[in-house]
Amino acid sequence: MTTDTSSGAARNGLARLAKGKGKLLLEIVLAVAAFFYFFPILMMILGSFKSSMEAASFNKLWPEVWEFGNFRQVLSGDRILQALRNSVFISFLSIFLTIVLAAIASFVMARRKSGFSSGAYFLFIAGLVAPLMYIPTIKTLQFLSLMNTLTGLILVVVATNLPFAVFLFTGFIKGIPRELDESAFVDGFGTTRIFLHIILPLLTPVVTTQAILSLVGVWNDLSMPLFFLNDSSKWTLPMLVYNFISQYVRNWNLVYAFLIIVSLPVVVLFIFGQKHFVSGLMSGAVKG
């Protein structure tokens, strides 16, 4: 009996030891992965405080002399305020339209059982894997006289963001009990009032999630403004990176400082909205 107890305790001890070693190995792997992930970010942050020559050499991580004037030089540019206004206008209007259209369409498709609703939903889902065709889109914008306009760019951004937004909103609304709708109908609510007063307030987590995801994509996007905006007065903030790069000069210290300034709004928004972001992403994905 004593021998069996001792052997059982030994096996438990070995199991705990193996589990501890496995956990330690996993932590080491995650630490190494985190290092390789954050090292370019650290390099960019430190590079923003270097001189132009030192930042271009890429041979030292820490700056010899900390150049705090790089940020002041970037912010003193002539076109940065105009680019900031363009980015804010494009980002917030496209996010607003995406959320409004996705919420309305998802409410209809989640609550109405019909072949049209199912077909429309699968059409939106197909947009998740369909790539953006630039040449047909440019031709369409030219036909509608919307090429090289902020309105045209906003419509393209909304169209590309709608599929995932509909997928997220529809999955979340399907998890809301239908009994709430039925109770509201008994109380004399119409479909519009049910959506505005019952469904919409419950969509806060997925609205926050979609807002953050859309802002990250739109705010940092370089390709769409590059293809659809030819006028430099309509450039967004990421397009201004070309001000510090030319055929003969590469001011990498100013590029790093500029990228940090551009990314700050998104980082701040994510920090304050991460609670709703995680819950909304998980709820919309799992319930769908």
Side-chain angles (χ1 to χ4, degrees):
M1 184 70 177
T2 306
T3 305
D4 294 339
T5 304
S6 301
S7 61
R11 285 195 298 269
N12 292 335
L14 290 175
R16 287 194 297 269
L17 181 61
K19 185 178 180 180
K21 289 183 178 180
K23 185 178 180 181
L24 177 61
L25 180 61
L26 178 61
E27 291 177 351
I28 294 175
V29 172
L30 292 177
V32 173
F35 171 78
F36 282 106
Y37 180 81
F38 286 106
F39 182 78
I41 300 177
L42 177 64
M43 179 179 174
M44 181 181 68
I45 294 174
L46 295 177
S48 65
F49 295 100
K50 295 180 180 180
S51 63
S52 180
M53 295 283 294
E54 190 176 2
S57 62
F58 293 100
N59 58 356
K60 293 182 179 179
L61 183 61
W62 295 93
E64 294 182 356
V65 179
W66 292 77
E67 299 286 347
F68 294 95
N70 292 335
F71 292 91
R72 183 171 59 251
Q73 185 175 349
V74 168
L75 292 173
S76 63
D78 297 332
R79 295 191 295 175
I80 191 168
L81 290 180
Q82 180 64 43
L84 177 62
R85 286 193 292 267
N86 293 337
S87 291
V88 171
F89 178 75
I90 293 171
S91 299
F92 283 91
L93 190 56
S94 60
I95 291 172
F96 174 77
L97 291 176
T98 300
I99 291 175
V100 170
L101 295 176
I104 296 174
S106 300
F107 174 66
V108 174
M109 289 184 290
R111 288 297 192 245
R112 182 171 297 175
K113 300 297 183 180
S114 65
F116 177 79
S117 298
S118 300
Y121 178 73
F122 284 110
L123 185 62
F124 277 109
I125 296 302
L128 290 173
V129 296
L132 176 62
M133 307 299 291
Y134 283 98
I135 301 302
T137 305
I138 291 174
K139 293 296 183 181
T140 303
L141 293 178
Q142 290 175 345
F143 176 77
L144 297 174
S145 299
L146 293 175
M147 186 64 185
N148 194 32
T149 63
L150 298 182
T151 302
L153 178 59
I154 290 172
L155 292 177
V156 175
V157 171
V158 172
T160 55
N161 287 336
L162 265 179
F164 182 78
V166 168
F167 167 74
L168 197 65
F169 278 65
T170 303
F172 190 86
I173 293 175
K174 285 181 178 179
I176 300 176
R178 286 179 173 271
E179 287 76 8
L180 293 177
D181 301 8
E182 297 171 358
S183 300
F185 273 121
V186 172
D187 293 337
F189 277 50
T191 304
T192 303
R193 291 184 65 188
I194 290 175
F195 174 74
L196 293 177
H197 297 283
I198 297 178
I199 301 299
L200 193 59
L202 298 176
L203 296 180
T204 300
V206 287
V207 167
T208 305
T209 300
Q210 183 60 43
I212 294 176
L213 290 175
S214 297
L215 181 61
V216 171
V218 178
W219 189 267
N220 296 324
D221 187 39
L222 181 65
S223 60
M224 286 192 184
L226 183 64
F227 279 99
F228 302 123
L229 296 177
N230 302 323
D231 189 355
S232 60
S233 63
K234 300 175 183 178
W235 279 4
T236 57
L237 281 174
M239 296 287 292
L240 290 187
V241 72
Y242 289 114
N243 289 349
F244 315 111
I245 299 177
S246 64
Q247 183 177 359
Y248 304 103
V249 180
R250 299 288 191 273
N251 293 320
W252 291 111
N253 56 330
L254 301 182
V255 171
Y256 292 148
F258 178 77
L259 293 177
I260 291 175
I261 294 173
V262 171
S263 61
L264 275 179
V266 178
V267 173
V268 172
L269 179 63
F270 179 78
I271 291 175
F272 286 100
Q274 60 180 332
K275 179 180 178 180
H276 291 299
F277 174 80
V278 175
S279 61
L281 188 61
M282 294 300 296
S283 298
V286 172
K287 293 176 183 177

